[in-house]
Amino acid sequence: MEITILGIESSCDDTSCAVVRNTTLLSNVTASQEVHRTWGGVVPELASRAHEQNIVPVADKALKDAGVTIDDIDAIAFTRGPGLLGSLLVGSSFAKGLSIAKNIPLIDCNHLLGHIMVHFIDEPGVEMPHPSFPFITLLVSGGHTMLVLVKSHLEMEILGQTTDDAAGEAFDKCAKVMGLPYPGGPVIDKLAADGDPKAFKFAKPSIPDLDYSFSGLKTSFLYFLRDKVEQNPDFIEQNKADLCASLQHTIIDILISKLVKAVKAADVTDVAIAGGVSANSGLRNAIEREGEKRGWRVFLPKRSYTTDNAAMIAIAGYFKYKQELFTSLDVTPMSRVSKIE
Ligand code: KG4
Ligand code: ZN
């Protein structure tokens, strides 16, 4: 049986709609919001307004690119949370409106579940390699950093998570200190390619178990730069590549050390990464190297599925559809969630 799902993602600053037919992705359209660059971070009010402007044309294009009409859609999956409430409201209200107008069932999706589910997307004519259960996912984004044991498509256990900042936040905040544009993660990734990862040393946290912490690193980076700039006002400009490479190397080291611990404790061989920071070239290489050394099967998402996108919500929606996990019209967005379900 063929199931066609329209996915809608609007949790932060990307307005995205996608169509899957079973596990095959037919379209994935994203309008990123440039307006936040000026402010050096996402401004919630501006994000909601931009979603409101973008959502209709983005949905329209996703249907057209997929070669379907709204009448072909079996269910509408939307992000319920976590995320910015005003942004989530735009996507959920739009999904509800379409659902009522066209009498199409609704499915609410957890944003984090979506990030992990990208590992089950196929493309037309291409069956992608998928991890086998149980596997571990290192989910690293601007809002989250966690180790998740994935037991089945919809069954997840959070093994550890950040106690303060997310890894993406560490990239973005340190980039801001260096005067780099927002979002800083991809900029640091690019500059790091020409730098020496061992040029500078920054403090690493000592957090027990499988939890993470990144606020200390951010502070150590800030103080280090403040002292250096006092002695030499051009220090950042003269050492940009080395600073980026060393910072990136430290973040990757922190991420990988806990990942190795989690994989050992869970006794799995399949290891995946997901979320915006999983686009990072240094992290991707480091995990591949670690996998070769330790006999893991490593799953790296396509770069277009790393940062926020609706393909991840559409595929999560497909697996929820198969279990008839529909939602009612009185469902409300949630800015925070404690579980991935
Ligand atoms: O998953 P995502 O789009 O949004 C959240 O759910 O948070 O992740 C965005 C985060 C930002 O912090 C951004 O700087 C980071 O992902 N990011 C990267 C790279 N591309 C995006 N960080 C490091 N290297 C990259 N190449
Ligand atoms: Zn995300």
Side-chain angles (χ1 to χ4, degrees):
M1 190 171 125
E2 285 198 332
I3 310 293
T4 309
I5 309 279
L6 171 66
I8 299 169
E9 156 62 32
S10 69
S11 66
C12 191
D13 59 340
D14 293 300
T15 318
S16 186
C17 294
V19 176
V20 293
R21 180 157 291 152
N22 294 348
T23 56
T24 303
L25 183 66
L26 301 183
S27 67
N28 188 23
V29 178
T30 302
S32 299
Q33 303 178 359
E34 295 303 316
V35 62
H36 307 288
R37 277 186 195 275
T38 329
W39 305 97
V42 177
V43 184
E45 285 282 310
L46 297 179
S48 312
R49 198 175 306 182
H51 283 305
E52 197 70 44
Q53 284 168 339
N54 293 340
I55 192 116
V56 172
V58 167
D60 198 41
K61 185 160 183 345
L63 292 173
K64 286 204 177 99
D65 285 2
V68 301
T69 71
I70 191 66
D71 297 319
D72 299 313
I73 299 297
D74 295 301
I76 301 164
F78 67 95
T79 306
R80 184 179 182 195
L84 300 170
L85 205 59
S87 291
L88 291 164
L89 272 166
V90 177
S92 63
S93 302
F94 178 72
K96 287 183 189 182
L98 260 185
S99 164
I100 297 169
K102 290 290 179 179
N103 199 21
I104 302 171
L106 269 184
I107 297 171
D108 67 83
C109 284
N110 181 303
H111 181 79
L112 307 175
L113 176 75
H115 270 303
I116 295 170
M117 283 295 104
V118 297
H119 289 286
F120 296 97
I121 296 174
D122 292 309
E123 292 182 354
V126 192
E127 222 183 279
M128 315 287 275
H130 305 305
S132 305
F133 302 114
F135 66 93
I136 295 251
T137 301
L138 169 64
L139 173 52
V140 262
S141 71
H144 298 87
T145 298
M146 49 175 68
L147 287 159
V148 183
L149 180 63
V150 186
K151 299 173 182 173
S152 71
H153 288 115
L154 300 177
E155 215 186 332
M156 325 248 147
E157 184 185 341
I158 300 172
L159 302 176
Q161 59 187 316
T162 183
T163 53
D164 40 56
D165 289 351
E169 240 176 315
F171 271 109
D172 296 342
K173 286 180 176 169
C174 292
K176 200 170 178 178
V177 173
M178 287 188 282
L180 300 174
Y182 176 85
V187 185
I188 290 182
D189 189 358
K190 226 174 165 180
L191 290 166
D194 299 321
D196 173 6
K198 303 250 163 83
F200 305 109
K201 262 197 163 1
F202 304 110
K204 283 190 204 157
S206 48
I207 291 281
D209 304 322
L210 296 174
D211 286 334
Y212 287 109
S213 165
F214 287 97
S215 64
L217 171 63
K218 176 193 67 189
T219 314
S220 138
F221 189 74
L222 180 72
Y223 288 163
F224 171 82
L225 281 188
R226 203 184 52 186
D227 292 347
K228 292 287 183 191
V229 168
E230 243 174 48
Q231 294 156 19
N232 170 12
D234 295 328
F235 180 80
I236 296 177
E237 206 45 53
Q238 289 164 359
N239 295 279
K240 213 170 245 178
D242 284 349
L243 283 168
C244 289
S246 302
L247 175 72
Q248 181 170 297
H249 177 73
T250 312
I251 294 176
I252 293 169
D253 253 14
I254 297 170
L255 291 173
I256 300 251
S257 67
K258 294 289 171 102
L259 174 63
V260 169
K261 244 179 145 176
V263 175
K264 271 193 196 148
D267 194 21
V268 299
T269 47
D270 284 12
V271 178
I273 49 171
V277 179
S278 71
N280 186 268
S281 338
L283 179 62
R284 293 169 84 94
N285 293 337
I287 289 194
E288 276 199 316
R289 273 198 311 274
E290 209 61 46
E292 271 169 34
K293 198 165 87 189
R294 298 177 186 276
W296 300 345
R297 287 205 309 160
V298 168
F299 295 84
L300 306 176
K302 264 184 81 167
R303 279 203 162 78
S304 52
Y305 305 153
T306 55
T307 46
D308 291 348
N309 66 87
M312 67 191 211
I313 301 305
I315 189 80
Y318 167 71
F319 288 107
K320 290 190 96 169
Y321 184 101
K322 288 218 302 183
Q323 296 195 15
E324 297 182 20
L325 293 170
F326 300 108
T327 193
S328 54
L329 283 169
D330 59 3
V331 66
T332 50
M334 286 163 61
S335 56
R336 288 171 179 275
V337 293
S338 55
K339 282 197 232 157
I340 305 179
E341 54 190 5

